[in-house]
Structures are given as structure tokens and as C-alpha cells.
Amino acid sequence: MPEQVRHDEQRASAEHSFESSRRTAEKGFTLVELMVVIVIIGLLATIVAVNVLPATGKARVEKAKADIATLEQALDQYRLDNINYPSASEGLQALVTAPPTLAQPERYRPGGYIRRLPNDPWAHPYQYRVPGKRGAFDIVSLGADGASGGEGENADIYSSDL
């Protein structure tokens, strides 16, 4: 009889060990479950990328418009102090340093009208055109391609169109 009890105990212990290892395996994730999660994460990343990337182009256009508005204000202040807008040859640089051709250099604001000339968001310098399409001047960004014309992000941005 004691041998029977020992055999039963060994069998119970073996069954318990088998059930224990089976439960442990059930607590993990299967390869299929992991693949489903990875696919879902990939889809979400794609949706975010599709919605965010076009916004960067729009943000650059808005930044160019804001820069142009700032340059227009500086040009208006220049004109108030110096009676005229800078000539085409003086350009936007006249906002940073006094042009040598000023009739009354003492009227030029100490420190200039803007600390430094910004480049447009595509790293091209803004252009100053005198006369403008509909006014005394135009400040122009040639867009992402840096060439005249274009559509969308490559379109030219004129101060007179804002």
C-alpha cells in the first residue's frame, strides 16, 4: 500500500507540473497576436504620417507670410523716418544698416529697423522689388523650388497678394 500511495503522489506531482507549465504558456502572447499588434501600430503610424507631413508645407507658407508682414512693417517704419522706401539697389539690407545714399543719415534709426534679414522657410533670401505689382514695393518668396511661378508649396508669395 505505501508503494501505491507513493506512485499516486508521483503521478499527482507530474500532473501538477504539466498543468503548471501549461498555465505559464497560456500567460504569454502567440506570434499571431504579436503580429496583429505590430500591424495595428504600423497602420496608426501611417495615418499619423499622412496627416502630419502635409501640414509642414502649410506651416512653411504661413511662416513666409508672417516674415513678409514683419518686413513690411519694418519698411513702413523706414519710410516714416526717411521719407521714402529703400531703392531697389539698397534693397532690404537698408533695414539692417544705413545705406550710404541716404539724404539725411541722422534720421536713420540707431540699430536699424530689423536685427537681421531672415531667409524664407526654404532657406532662400526674400526678394525686394520696386515698384511692386500693386504698390510701392513687393517682398517676394519664390516658394520651395526657389524659382518664379509654381503651384502649391512652390508658388511665389507676394506681399501685395496678402
Side-chain angles (χ1 to χ4, degrees), residues 3-120:
E3 200 171 305
Q4 179 69 25
V5 170
R6 198 178 302 156
H7 180 57
D8 288 343
E9 285 176 359
Q10 286 176 347
R11 193 171 72 179
S13 175
E15 286 176 3
H16 176 70
S17 173
F18 175 73
E19 285 179 20
S20 174
S21 66
R22 197 166 130 203
R23 280 192 206 127
T24 304
E26 288 176 359
K27 290 182 183 178
F29 296 107
T30 66
L31 180 61
V32 172
E33 290 170 331
L34 289 174
M35 294 300 290
V36 167
V37 169
I38 290 171
V39 167
I40 290 171
I41 290 171
L43 289 172
L44 290 174
T46 302
I47 290 169
V48 167
V50 165
N51 289 321
V52 169
L53 291 178
T56 59
K58 291 177 188 174
R60 287 182 177 174
V61 169
E62 291 304 314
K63 169 74 166 89
K65 289 178 181 179
D67 284 349
I68 288 171
T70 300
L71 291 170
E72 281 182 308
Q73 289 174 353
L75 284 166
D76 287 339
Q77 291 172 359
Y78 178 96
R79 183 176 146 259
L80 287 173
D81 290 346
N82 300 290
I83 304 176
N84 293 316
Y85 289 111
S87 67
S89 62
E90 295 166 341
L92 293 174
Q93 190 61 38
L95 299 175
V96 180
T97 57
T101 57
L102 275 178
Q104 297 176 317
E106 67 278 358
R107 295 186 73 168
Y108 190 85
R109 183 178 297 177
Y113 296 88
I114 194 165
R115 280 191 215 138
R116 63 176 183 79
L117 289 175
N119 282 333
D120 70 12

